[in-house]
């Protein structure tokens, strides 16, 4: 890797602590990813993005900032990427998937909240994430109580704009969400000095739709038996989707899908692995814990009903409309179709899970929740009931980012796979 220390130092990264992170990540990656057999050649691009994760992309952000551009950080799939693109800013979905950051997070937050929240806070407090350090503004949302209150603390370190996400899906909630998107547009215009126009918004809707379409294409390929790509590799692609340049990402992903098309045509040997769906909370980079445990056994993950899975790309924004009002309405409609457990009721998520179980021909479902995420934990019983009614085996795993429970999880998953 080129020497990026000067750049990191300029961004205010704590170099010594960051060195510790850099010492852990490549080993974790090699052990998890490079030991897989018969990986598609198209994964080379995504490997290189990861190898350069704190390097070349950070350099691109720096270049953008030198030219007067802004960088905006997000943590939830409800924040519309289209608006960020339309003001010529770069959006980065910030990773919060490592135990490394939890300790610093616990210095300013209670211990008994979700590890994702502690990790993002720790990354900022400890100054160990060059993406976070590059952000001119963070866009928060009122999705869960932990995040809602964490923004108040985060504001001490970086400017934060919070979008109020409705928690129901009535007509008046749609209207409120449209208003929030308008406020967000105003905030982004103020930050960047660029106006959102019908043309710029339509263009950014198209770019984002193409990215979603490519991800959907990748997921559709996994419907083949056996899937031509591991769940681990798809998880990595989905995680990279959150911070890579969207047009380059789409191009590279479509190249990977072309290769997978060929694999499917040439018929891959079916080793009879159990086809598993993961449902639940997001798995931010570099959280590969459950995927690597599950796929080390006789199983292949073929779909993730998560925010680092289907919830990120399902449903496109309608590109038709003559006015800003029309396009903003289209954006609001698409985002309100996301079935996050922060909504009440959230029966749409159960319908999605049952639909995917059929479409992806799954043998079993693993409902995976981050510890202390109450909304998803409460929904587990409804998920379990609906799946049992369809005779689809299901198990729940509640875990955090530490590896302490990995052995125990492996034993439980092994027993589950034997049972199905
Ligand atoms: S689970 Fe809900 S709150 Fe979390 S990223 Fe997804 S949509 Fe946002
Ligand atoms: S996983 Fe749950 S608790 Fe954690 S940030 Fe997302 S919604 Fe909140």
């Amino acid at each position: 890797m080129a020497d990026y220390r000067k750049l990191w130092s300029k961004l205010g990264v704590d170099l010594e602590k960051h060195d510790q992170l850099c010492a852990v990540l490549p080993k974790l990656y090699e052990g998890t990813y490079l030991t897989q057999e018969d990986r598609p050649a198209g994964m080379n691009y995504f490997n290189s993005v990861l190898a350069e994760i704190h390097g070349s992309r950070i350099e691109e952000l720096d270049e953008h900032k030198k030219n007067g551009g802004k960088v905006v950080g997000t943590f939830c799939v409800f924040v519309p990427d289209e608006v960020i693109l339309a003001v010529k800013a770069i959006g980065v979905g910030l990773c919060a998937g490592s135990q490394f950051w939890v300790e610093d997070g616990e210095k300013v937050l209670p211990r008994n909240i979700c590890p994702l929240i502690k990790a993002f806070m720790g990354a900022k407090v400890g100054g160990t994430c060059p993406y976070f350090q590059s952000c001119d503004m963070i866009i928060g949302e009122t999705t869960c109580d932990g995040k809602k209150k964490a923004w108040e603390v985060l504001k001490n370190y970086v400017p934060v704009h919070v979008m109020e996400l409705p928690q129901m899906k009535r007509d008046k909630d749609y209207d409120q969400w449209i208003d929030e998107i308008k406020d967000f547009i105003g905030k982004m215009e103020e930050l960047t000095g660029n106006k959102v126009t019908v043309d710029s918004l339509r263009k950014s809707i198209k770019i984002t739709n193409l990215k979603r379409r490519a991800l959907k294409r990748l997921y559709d390929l996994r419907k083949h038996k056996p899937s031509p790509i591991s769940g681990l590799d798809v998880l990595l692609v989905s995680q990279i989707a959150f911070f890579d340049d969207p047009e380059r990402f789409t191009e590279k992903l479509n190249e990977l899908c072309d290769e997978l098309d060929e694999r499917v045509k040439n018929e891959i040997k079916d080793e009879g692995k159990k086809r598993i769906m993961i449902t639940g909370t997001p798995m931010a980079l570099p959280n590969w814990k459950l995927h690597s445990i599950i796929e080390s056994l006789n199983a292949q993950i073929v779909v993730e009903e998560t925010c680092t899975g289907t919830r990120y790309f399902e449903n496109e924004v309608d590109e038709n409309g003559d006015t800003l009002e029309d396009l903003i309405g289209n954006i609001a409609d698409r985002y309100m179709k996301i079935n996050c457990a922060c909504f009440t009721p959230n029966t749409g998520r159960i319908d999605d899970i049952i639909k995917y179980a059929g479409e992806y021909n799954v043998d079993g479902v693993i409902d995976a929740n981050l510890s202390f995420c109450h909304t998803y934990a409460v929904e587990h019983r409804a998920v379990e009931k609906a799946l049992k009614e369809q005779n689809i085996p299901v198990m729940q795993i509640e875990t955090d980012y530490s590896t302490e429970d990995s052995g125990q999880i492996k034993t439980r998953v092994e027993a589950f796979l034997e049972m199905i």
Side-chain angles (χ1 to χ4, degrees), residues 203-406:
K203 188 174 170 217
S204 67
I205 289 173
K206 283 188 176 157
I207 291 172
T208 314
N209 277 347
L210 286 173
K211 175 163 127 174
R212 291 197 182 104
R213 214 170 291 163
L215 282 161
K216 172 98 176 89
R217 186 179 166 203
L218 175 68
Y219 269 62
D220 282 345
L221 279 155
R222 302 167 88 188
K223 292 176 182 168
H224 290 274
K225 198 168 181 253
S227 162
I229 184 164
S230 69
L232 264 169
D233 277 337
V234 174
L235 178 62
L236 182 67
V237 170
S238 306
Q239 290 170 332
I240 288 175
F242 284 83
F243 64 89
D244 198 9
D245 174 77
E247 289 175 283
R248 180 176 58 207
F249 172 87
T250 302
E251 190 192 320
K252 294 295 174 188
L253 178 50
N254 277 319
E255 282 172 23
L256 171 67
C257 291
D258 291 343
E259 184 188 345
L260 298 180
D261 271 336
E262 285 306 309
R263 277 195 175 203
V264 168
K265 273 189 218 142
N266 295 332
E267 289 191 11
I268 324 144
K269 192 170 149 240
D270 191 351
E271 292 170 4
K273 290 188 175 177
K274 299 279 172 16
R275 296 172 64 83
I276 300 296
M277 177 190 333
I278 297 283
T279 173
T281 48
M283 293 174 178
L285 199 79
N287 178 9
W288 306 309
K289 179 174 166 178
L290 282 185
H291 277 59
S292 74
I293 293 174
I294 295 165
E295 292 200 333
S296 72
L297 300 166
N298 182 33
Q300 188 175 39
I301 295 166
V302 292
V303 54
E304 294 85 3
E305 189 278 324
T306 66
C307 290
T308 37
T310 54
R311 278 181 237 136
Y312 184 52
F313 65 78
E314 284 286 21
N315 302 308
E316 294 187 6
V317 175
D318 186 349
E319 294 167 12
N320 298 306
D322 299 325
T323 63
L324 266 183
E325 198 70 28
D326 293 339
L327 295 180
I328 293 168
N330 297 349
I331 291 174
D333 281 347
R334 186 265 157 193
Y335 281 82
M336 283 291 268
K337 286 188 190 131
I338 300 170
N339 293 316
C340 172
C342 64
F343 284 94
T344 184
N346 187 35
T347 46
R349 177 169 167 240
I350 311 279
D351 298 340
D352 287 345
I353 293 171
I354 299 298
K355 186 178 80 174
Y356 296 143
E359 282 179 6
Y360 290 83
N361 199 359
V362 308
D363 298 307
V365 176
I366 298 185
D367 189 8
N369 298 334
L370 286 169
S371 338
F372 304 113
C373 176
H374 302 315
T375 52
Y376 280 87
V378 170
E379 271 188 14
H380 172 70
R381 278 168 199 270
V383 170
E384 184 181 54
K385 182 169 175 279
L387 284 166
K388 282 195 171 156
E389 278 167 9
Q390 305 287 324
N391 290 321
I392 302 166
V394 52
M395 76 177 286
Q396 186 189 26
I397 296 177
E398 195 167 303
T399 187
D400 57 16
Y401 297 156
S402 72
T403 48
E404 279 163 25
D405 57 355
S406 295

Side-chain angles (χ1 to χ4, degrees), residues 42-309:
M43 282 307 295
N44 287 342
Y45 169 73
F46 301 97
N47 288 339
S48 68
V49 171
L50 203 90
E52 277 285 323
I53 188 161
H54 285 185
S56 58
R57 183 67 176 144
I58 298 296
E59 228 165 28
E60 285 178 358
L61 301 186
D62 187 52
E63 208 46 45
H64 174 72
K65 283 163 77 92
K66 275 188 203 149
N67 295 327
K70 301 289 178 192
V71 176
V72 175
T74 61
F75 285 103
C76 173
V77 296
F78 268 101
V79 178
D81 290 335
E82 292 83 351
V83 172
I84 299 173
L85 269 177
V87 289
K88 299 190 180 70
I90 295 182
V92 282
L94 292 163
C95 350
S98 170
Q99 180 69 12
F100 181 83
W101 293 306
V102 168
E103 194 186 320
D104 278 336
E106 286 178 351
K107 287 180 186 158
V108 291
L109 292 171
R111 297 189 70 184
N112 57 347
I113 61 170
C114 144
L116 194 143
I117 300 174
K118 288 191 284 192
F120 78 63
M121 193 65 81
K124 185 65 200 171
V125 170
T128 46
C129 173
Y131 286 92
F132 222 137
Q133 297 304 114
S134 303
C135 287
D136 297 289
M137 184 173 277
I138 299 296
I139 312 304
E141 12 60 44
T142 54
T143 38
C144 66
D145 287 354
K147 279 210 242 176
K148 201 160 66 183
K149 298 308 285 179
W151 309 130
E152 295 170 20
V153 183
L154 191 65
K155 271 184 179 154
N156 296 319
Y157 301 87
V158 56
V160 180
H161 171 76
V162 180
M163 297 184 78
E164 184 172 356
L165 181 75
Q167 319 254 293
M168 295 176 85
K169 293 185 179 178
R170 303 160 300 184
D171 286 348
K172 62 180 177 182
D173 299 309
Y174 275 79
D175 293 342
Q176 184 207 322
W177 184 232
I178 288 174
D179 274 350
E180 279 301 312
I181 296 176
K182 287 181 183 165
D183 284 355
F184 178 45
I185 289 176
K187 197 77 196 171
M188 288 295 96
E189 288 179 335
E190 189 186 302
L191 178 74
T192 60
N194 297 325
K195 275 277 188 224
V196 172
T197 64
V198 172
D199 285 347
S200 71
L201 195 53
R202 199 193 315 278
K203 188 174 170 217
S204 67
I205 289 173
K206 283 188 176 157
I207 291 172
T208 314
N209 277 347
L210 286 173
K211 175 163 127 174
R212 291 197 182 104
R213 214 170 291 163
L215 282 161
K216 172 98 176 89
R217 186 179 166 203
L218 175 68
Y219 269 62
D220 282 345
L221 279 155
R222 302 167 88 188
K223 292 176 182 168
H224 290 274
K225 198 168 181 253
S227 162
I229 184 164
S230 69
L232 264 169
D233 277 337
V234 174
L235 178 62
L236 182 67
V237 170
S238 306
Q239 290 170 332
I240 288 175
F242 284 83
F243 64 89
D244 198 9
D245 174 77
E247 289 175 283
R248 180 176 58 207
F249 172 87
T250 302
E251 190 192 320
K252 294 295 174 188
L253 178 50
N254 277 319
E255 282 172 23
L256 171 67
C257 291
D258 291 343
E259 184 188 345
L260 298 180
D261 271 336
E262 285 306 309
R263 277 195 175 203
V264 168
K265 273 189 218 142
N266 295 332
E267 289 191 11
I268 324 144
K269 192 170 149 240
D270 191 351
E271 292 170 4
K273 290 188 175 177
K274 299 279 172 16
R275 296 172 64 83
I276 300 296
M277 177 190 333
I278 297 283
T279 173
T281 48
M283 293 174 178
L285 199 79
N287 178 9
W288 306 309
K289 179 174 166 178
L290 282 185
H291 277 59
S292 74
I293 293 174
I294 295 165
E295 292 200 333
S296 72
L297 300 166
N298 182 33
Q300 188 175 39
I301 295 166
V302 292
V303 54
E304 294 85 3
E305 189 278 324
T306 66
C307 290
T308 37

